[in-house]
Amino acid sequence: MVTITAEPLAPGAMLKERYEIVRLIKGGGMSWVYQVKEHRRDATTRLWALKELRMDADDRHSLDEARLMFEQEAHILVQLAHPNLPRVAAYFTQGERSYLVMEFIHGETLQERLTQARAPLLEGQVASWAVQVCDVLDYLHTRQPPVIFRDVKPGNVMVTPGGEIKLIDFGIARTYKVGKQRDTITMGSENYAAPEQWGHGQTDPRSDIYSLGATLYHLLTNEPPLPAYVPGERAPIRTLNPAVSERMVEVVMRAMSPERGDRYHSAAEMRTALLRCLPPWERLRLQARPQEREAPAQQTVLQEPAATATPQPSAVPAPSAPAAASPERPPTRAGLYCRACGALNRQGARYCRMCGGALQREPAAALSVVGSAPGAIRFVLGSQPVVLGRKSGSQPVDLDLSPLDPDAYVSRRHARVTCAEGRYWITDLGSSNGTYLNERRLEEGRAAALRHGDRIRVGRIELAFTQR
């Protein structure tokens, strides 16, 4: 018996002389997740998420099994590149601990959205998220060999302030093995795991489809579905939430069919069904969304020298050829989509050619200084991110507040304003004196939505946000 215990790393701890622990984000299962700051050789810094394998197993066999699964996650992620997946920066070991450095995602999980709402979520929003999950599952399932996620659930799906979905936590993902009768390890979260994940067969892409269906059931009803092994029928969706359409109910129940053959045969097929649940303009927006398939960036794989060889992430393969365009995914076309009827109009059109409605354009928004120096600065916001701060050396800022900040209460890179789908968001970038929105201090790295008339305070400078 070997007992190795490990408390989470303290803020300020340094790994590899470059990754500084900022804070613990969460701990659970077999890992800790931290926010870390990378100190680069060019004197700049960057935020990452760092996942650490927990070393609190009671015996060496369990510890070795946990390390094997952690390394498997690194092996899988290092070869993937998709807009709805976190990027991997590094995988390394240090002493008895293993680490995975990944993209830091600003946002919250769908489980957190449910907890905050304390009620079922809106069908249109849920369907839009589910289409994106189908996109990334289709990408995973069409790799060679296919990658099966095996743990789709609200807690493993994050949504960014701009509404983009990120599938996180590949701890129990695996590659599909042709001819294998069942999985070596039976895993999954019980309310969302397909029947075959309880030792009745090998998981395949349809197992992820079941889990996505169970996730939608939970989001639409605010009640997790009964585990697949529990006998009896689950409560009908419309009994728990009469606002859900019959079409959406059909999609969820087919995805959750006990027999694999009765489910959607692929994530792409389920995506098509989900699109039919959306209004025309939202359907066209998602259909026209660019299906990026980027080659993975060259990964930085760091490894402590050890007496025994530790498996390393395999080399990044050449990207596969892009699939032929599907009728359900037309290429993006230049123009304006009408939010009322979904018709495509030429660029510059003021009214829809089909319904005659006024076409929505990019909103006009601005930040203006108020208080002691009214009108001194008015900065018009566009679709590109804007960094607020003080111009200093090599640190670039878009809105330089130093002329109004003689006592340097504003940090060099104080806050950032971003635009996504017509809405604006503000994020504190780790400023010394904080960023305040309507006198409420913002949490570092967490975006907050801006509304017309909001007041922003950075240092001693107050700004008004306007949007029309």
Side-chain angles (χ1 to χ4, degrees), residues 32-103:
W32 301 107
V33 180
Y34 308 89
Q35 184 187 63
V36 299
K37 184 186 297 183
E38 180 190 9
H39 296 269
R40 299 180 168 188
R41 293 178 180 175
D42 60 0
T44 62
T45 60
R46 181 171 179 176
L47 286 179
W48 297 98
L50 181 136
K51 187 172 182 179
E52 176 192 35
L53 176 62
R54 289 179 60 171
M55 296 298 178
D56 54 6
D58 291 332
D59 60 74
R60 175 59 64 181
H61 175 74
S62 298
L63 200 59
D64 290 343
E65 184 177 278
R67 182 178 284 112
L68 179 64
M69 294 183 64
F70 194 81
E71 290 169 355
Q72 175 177 288
E73 179 176 10
H75 280 237
I76 290 174
L77 280 173
V78 79
Q79 300 180 57
L80 301 176
H82 188 277
N84 300 118
L85 292 177
R87 291 188 176 277
V88 174
Y91 166 68
F92 61 92
T93 61
Q94 184 166 307
E96 286 284 345
R97 302 185 181 191
S98 299
Y99 300 94
L100 189 60
V101 183
M102 299 178 291
E103 173 189 359

Side-chain angles (χ1 to χ4, degrees), residues 187-201:
M187 280 198 172
S189 301
E190 65 174 14
N191 296 99
Y192 313 95
E196 56 270 19
Q197 287 182 256
W198 300 101
H200 301 300

Side-chain angles (χ1 to χ4, degrees), residues 47-337:
L47 286 179
W48 297 98
L50 181 136
K51 187 172 182 179
E52 176 192 35
L53 176 62
R54 289 179 60 171
M55 296 298 178
D56 54 6
D58 291 332
D59 60 74
R60 175 59 64 181
H61 175 74
S62 298
L63 200 59
D64 290 343
E65 184 177 278
R67 182 178 284 112
L68 179 64
M69 294 183 64
F70 194 81
E71 290 169 355
Q72 175 177 288
E73 179 176 10
H75 280 237
I76 290 174
L77 280 173
V78 79
Q79 300 180 57
L80 301 176
H82 188 277
N84 300 118
L85 292 177
R87 291 188 176 277
V88 174
Y91 166 68
F92 61 92
T93 61
Q94 184 166 307
E96 286 284 345
R97 302 185 181 191
S98 299
Y99 300 94
L100 189 60
V101 183
M102 299 178 291
E103 173 189 359
F104 182 79
I105 301 168
H106 296 277
E108 55 195 349
T109 67
L110 297 187
Q111 181 62 59
E112 290 169 333
R113 284 285 182 101
L114 267 178
T115 301
Q116 293 169 9
R118 300 183 181 180
L121 302 182
L122 296 175
E123 177 182 333
Q125 184 66 83
V126 170
S128 177
W129 292 333
V131 168
Q132 294 185 57
V133 176
C134 284
D135 279 338
V136 68
L137 288 179
D138 182 48
Y139 170 78
L140 295 173
H141 296 165
T142 53
R143 300 304 90 198
Q144 294 300 326
V147 175
I148 316 302
F149 188 74
R150 298 205 300 172
D151 202 19
V152 179
K153 60 180 180 181
N156 282 345
V157 182
M158 288 192 71
V159 58
T160 69
E164 185 178 38
I165 285 297
K166 296 282 187 177
L167 195 60
I168 62 173
D169 201 345
F170 274 67
I172 65 170
R174 61 180 288 275
T175 53
Y176 182 78
K177 297 175 176 61
V178 177
K180 190 174 180 181
Q181 297 300 311
R182 57 187 295 177
D183 292 351
T184 305
I185 302 174
T186 301
M187 280 198 172
S189 301
E190 65 174 14
N191 296 99
Y192 313 95
E196 56 270 19
Q197 287 182 256
W198 300 101
H200 301 300
Q202 182 185 190
T203 50
D204 66 10
R206 292 168 295 179
S207 305
D208 285 343
I209 288 172
Y210 179 98
S211 298
L212 177 55
T215 296
L216 299 184
Y217 181 102
H218 192 176
L219 298 176
L220 292 168
T221 65
N222 198 29
E223 292 286 342
L226 289 173
Y229 61 80
V230 175
E233 295 184 1
R234 59 184 63 88
I237 292 176
R238 285 173 60 83
T239 298
L240 299 172
N241 182 5
V244 180
S245 67
E246 289 287 359
R247 177 170 284 179
M248 175 60 86
V249 170
E250 292 173 3
V251 172
V252 175
M253 300 318 295
R254 180 176 173 186
M256 293 183 68
S257 297
E259 297 296 328
R260 275 192 267 197
D262 294 334
R263 300 173 204 157
Y264 293 103
H265 296 149
S266 67
E269 184 183 5
M270 185 173 178
R271 180 185 188 275
T272 299
L274 285 164
L275 284 169
R276 297 193 183 106
C277 299
L278 291 166
W281 67 267
E282 178 68 7
R283 188 185 311 163
L284 285 168
R285 183 184 70 82
L286 289 169
Q287 285 177 328
R289 183 171 175 259
Q291 302 300 309
E292 301 176 21
R293 294 293 185 266
E294 305 173 11
Q298 183 63 38
Q299 307 299 326
T300 305
V301 181
L302 308 174
Q303 181 67 36
E304 283 282 302
T308 57
T310 303
Q312 300 292 315
S314 56
V316 177
S320 56
S326 163
E328 288 298 327
R329 302 184 186 185
T332 304
R333 297 169 60 189
L336 296 172
Y337 286 105

Side-chain angles (χ1 to χ4, degrees), residues 363-370 378-381 417 424 450-456 463-468:
L367 291 174
S368 303
V369 175
V370 297
R378 184 175 186 276
F379 191 91
V380 177
L381 300 170
V417 176
Y424 286 86
L450 290 172
R451 295 174 177 81
H452 178 74
D454 279 351
R455 295 297 179 94
I456 302 164
L463 302 166
F465 172 77
T466 56
Q467 182 177 9
R468 66 177 190 273

